[in-house]
């Protein structure tokens, strides 16, 4: 394989979810595709780090403004309720919740979850920044939307414990059966939680 092709494939293989074979296929495609595509792609990638930053307030992805500050679209939206704060582990989770259209408050992205097994302790989570945000915005409710996994639950418990003394109500997203899913195929934990977390009509 020509050296530039091998190098492109090596770099592509470092992307999440891209294996060696897929990376080779991408590199070959780009090497033989219409010339505009690899050039535009290269330019877009190079500009990414110059123009996109985590939002200074919440950690969501944001475009860097002329004043050198990055504030995301959610934080700029004055119709959002600043007293409802949704805590998520990753930006991808924030985007997924935004797609649901069900969140009318703002966000705080932790960046990582507590993981006793992988040795990620509480001191590696931005708990102080979260507390500061809750105080500064006089947040009334903190909705913890970390995933329903061992790490996600451990993180949620930590947040509930740390924020308790601040007076904000700490809530947790419900977990249940996926829409359109069959009860027969739901796992026991999910089905058990759906029953425990049942709600009245209306
Ligand atoms: Zn933001």
């Amino acid at each position: 394989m020509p050296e530039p092709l091998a190098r492109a494939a090596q770099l592509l293989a470092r992307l999440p979810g891209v294996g060696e074979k897929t990376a080779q296929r991408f590199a070959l495609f780009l090497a033989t595709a219409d010339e505009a595509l690899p050039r535009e792609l290269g330019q877009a990638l190079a500009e990414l780090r110059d123009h996109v930053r985590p939002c200074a307030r919440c950690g969501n992805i944001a475009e860097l403004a002329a004043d050198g500050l990055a504030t995301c679209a959610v934080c700029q939206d004055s119709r959002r309720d600043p007293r409802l704060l949704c805590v998520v582990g990753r930006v991808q989770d924030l985007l997924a919740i935004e797609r649901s259209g069900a969140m009318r408050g703002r966000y705080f992205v932790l960046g990582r979850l507590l993981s006793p097994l992988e040795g990620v302790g509480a001191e590696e989570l931005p708990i102080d920044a979260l507390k500061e945000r809750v105080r500064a915005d006089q947040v009334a409710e903190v909705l913890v939307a970390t995933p329903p996994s061992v790490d996600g639950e451990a993180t949620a418990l930590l947040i509930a414990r740390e924020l308790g003394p601040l007076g904000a109500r700490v809530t947790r997203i419900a977990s249940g059966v996926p829409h359109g899913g069959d009860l027969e195929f739901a796992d026991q934990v999910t089905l058990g939680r759906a029953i425990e977390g049942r709600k009245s009509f209306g």
Side-chain angles (χ1 to χ4, degrees):
M1 200 190 288
E3 209 281 322
L5 194 63
R7 183 170 148 69
Q10 264 173 20
L11 290 169
L12 288 164
R14 283 162 62 179
L15 296 175
V18 178
E20 224 170 278
K21 276 188 190 163
T22 307
Q24 257 182 34
R25 196 159 48 105
F26 284 169
L28 267 171
F29 176 79
L30 289 167
T32 53
D34 174 11
E35 203 185 326
L37 177 63
R39 290 205 189 285
E40 279 178 30
L41 183 65
Q43 198 177 350
L45 292 175
E47 286 176 5
L48 207 52
R49 293 309 290 247
D50 294 333
H51 299 288
V52 177
R53 288 275 190 291
C55 170
R57 282 180 62 73
C58 75
N60 186 14
I61 207 75
E63 196 171 339
L64 199 63
D67 59 5
L69 287 173
T71 310
C72 77
V74 177
C75 287
Q76 284 183 30
D77 183 354
S78 59
R79 291 163 303 177
R80 299 285 182 138
D81 180 0
R83 304 192 67 210
L84 171 59
L85 186 68
C86 179
V87 179
V88 294
R90 310 172 307 166
V91 170
Q92 292 98 302
D93 302 332
L94 182 160
L95 298 176
I97 295 172
E98 278 298 290
R99 278 197 297 274
S100 79
M103 182 65 190
R104 55 184 178 77
R106 294 213 168 104
Y107 294 91
F108 186 92
V109 181
L110 293 169
R112 65 194 313 180
L113 298 176
L114 198 64
S115 179
L117 282 177
E118 285 173 30
V120 182
E123 66 288 347
E124 287 174 69
L125 266 59
I127 298 294
D128 287 339
L130 175 59
K131 283 180 177 169
E132 186 45 45
R133 177 79 188 274
V134 168
R135 279 195 210 102
D137 283 1
Q138 295 181 309
V139 172
E141 179 181 350
V142 178
L143 168 59
V144 186
T146 52
S149 59
V150 173
D151 292 353
E153 297 294 357
T155 307
L157 281 174
L158 172 77
I159 290 170
R161 204 171 55 226
E162 291 284 334
L163 297 187
L166 299 186
R169 184 169 154 238
V170 182
T171 54
R172 179 92 175 96
I173 46 165
S175 55
V177 184
H179 180 73
D182 249 314
L183 293 195
E184 184 188 353
F185 301 119
D187 67 274
Q188 291 172 22
V189 177
T190 302
L191 200 48
R193 281 200 183 145
I195 290 175
E196 281 165 22
R198 64 187 178 275
K199 292 196 295 188
S200 304
F201 280 95

